[in-house]
Amino acid sequence: AQKITQTQPGMFVQEKEAVTLDCTYDTSDPSYGLFWYKQPSSGEMIFLIYQGSYDQQNATEGRYSLNFQKARKSANLVISASQLGDSAMYFCAMRERGSNYKLTFGKGTLLTVNP
Amino acid sequence: GAGVSQTPSNKVTEKGKYVELRCDPISGHTALYWYRQSLGQGPEFLIYFQGTGAADDSGLPNDRFFAVRPEGSVSTLKIQRTERGDSAVYLCASSLTETDYNEQFFGPGTRLTVL
């Protein structure tokens, strides 16, 4: 079974609008972390936001917020006020304490921000 | 400060040849990871080092792949008898420790093409 599922291969959003990128995960480990990374066409992986499984509040980092619904095992990324520079691949990833902290990535969502 | 660096940025080789890919992690980072990213996919875990030892090599696809980190800093990923299916971007990441909240910082990757 897929540990990380990103069901949206591609998303389009108008500049200045908000967009939600979906991520669901599967784990039986009670301790885990969820990450979102951005990968522009240049190829580097840029860390955006982190949510720990025991965190009580949803993580926020500037225009990025993580809608963490633990019971549903979802960790959607919300980008507010989209900018043209947000156009990139976005990867959701999970790190389980029982798996030596390696990251397991989803297949990614290609976000295109239209002017 | 310097981030994770990887050399070469691009490597083109012929089927059957041996290649070495180098990763220089952020100074002081004890945990080091190698991932492989095939076209259109998320990165996939290959191997994890804690210090000098390979703590988890469960992601190495077969015995043609080997990695070392002799002094606990620079790591080299070695691929023998390369095959066309080895073509991918090889990403290296490092983190301060292996605790779950520590983000992994990724290098720019080495794009390997096997002809």
Side-chain angles (χ1 to χ4, degrees):
Chain A
Q2 291 280 342
K3 283 193 175 258
I4 296 287
T5 302
Q6 295 181 256
T7 57
Q8 307 153 316
M11 288 284 285
F12 293 89
V13 66
Q14 209 65 27
E15 194 179 7
K16 299 181 186 176
E17 292 185 350
V19 63
T20 298
L21 306 183
D22 294 341
C23 173
T24 57
Y25 60 92
D26 182 25
T27 182
S28 57
D29 195 327
S31 181
Y32 54 90
L34 296 158
F35 299 77
W36 277 91
Y37 281 84
K38 173 184 178 181
Q39 189 176 45
S41 56
S42 52
E44 74 270 30
M45 296 287 283
I46 302 168
F47 166 76
L48 296 178
I49 196 167
Y50 166 82
Q51 180 86 43
S53 59
Y54 295 118
D55 293 344
Q56 295 296 314
Q57 294 191 332
N58 287 345
T60 61
E61 288 285 348
R63 294 187 298 111
Y64 304 107
S65 60
L66 202 152
N67 183 1
F68 181 46
Q69 297 187 43
K70 193 170 182 177
R72 296 179 61 186
K73 294 189 174 179
S74 76
N76 297 341
L77 176 71
V78 181
I79 306 174
S80 62
S82 296
Q83 302 171 357
L84 296 178
D86 293 336
S87 294
M89 281 292 288
Y90 287 80
F91 291 98
C92 179
M94 176 172 64
R95 191 161 68 194
E96 299 163 288
R97 179 168 286 184
S99 298
N100 281 321
Y101 307 107
K102 65 190 177 192
L103 288 171
T104 301
F105 286 84
K107 292 189 175 182
T109 295
L110 179 61
L111 177 66
T112 303
V113 180
N114 293 318
Chain B
V4 178
S5 62
Q6 292 186 246
T7 54
S9 55
N10 279 284
K11 177 71 177 178
V12 180
T13 191
E14 293 180 342
K15 180 173 178 292
K17 299 289 189 183
Y18 167 83
V19 296
E20 288 190 353
L21 312 179
R22 176 188 166 110
C23 171
D24 210 329
I26 293 172
S27 178
H29 280 195
T30 58
L32 186 146
Y33 307 78
W34 283 98
Y35 295 85
R36 179 168 71 173
Q37 186 175 21
S38 300
L39 194 63
Q41 303 293 318
E44 292 180 312
F45 169 79
L46 294 177
I47 187 168
Y48 156 60
F49 287 91
Q50 179 56 35
T52 59
D56 182 351
D57 64 358
S58 61
L60 294 177
N62 51 60
D63 61 6
R64 294 187 298 106
F65 289 75
F66 189 72
V68 296
R69 194 185 185 200
E71 297 178 357
S73 178
V74 170
S75 176
T76 304
L77 179 66
K78 308 180 180 194
I79 311 174
Q80 298 178 321
R81 305 184 304 280
T82 51
E83 299 177 356
R84 292 195 180 89
D86 299 336
S87 296
V89 175
Y90 289 81
L91 295 165
C92 176
S94 71
S95 65
L96 192 56
T97 68
E98 74 278 15
T99 55
D100 55 1
Y101 60 86
N102 274 333
E103 100 182 62
Q104 293 181 16
F105 295 84
F106 281 81
T110 294
R111 181 175 299 277
L112 175 66
T113 304
V114 182
L115 301 177

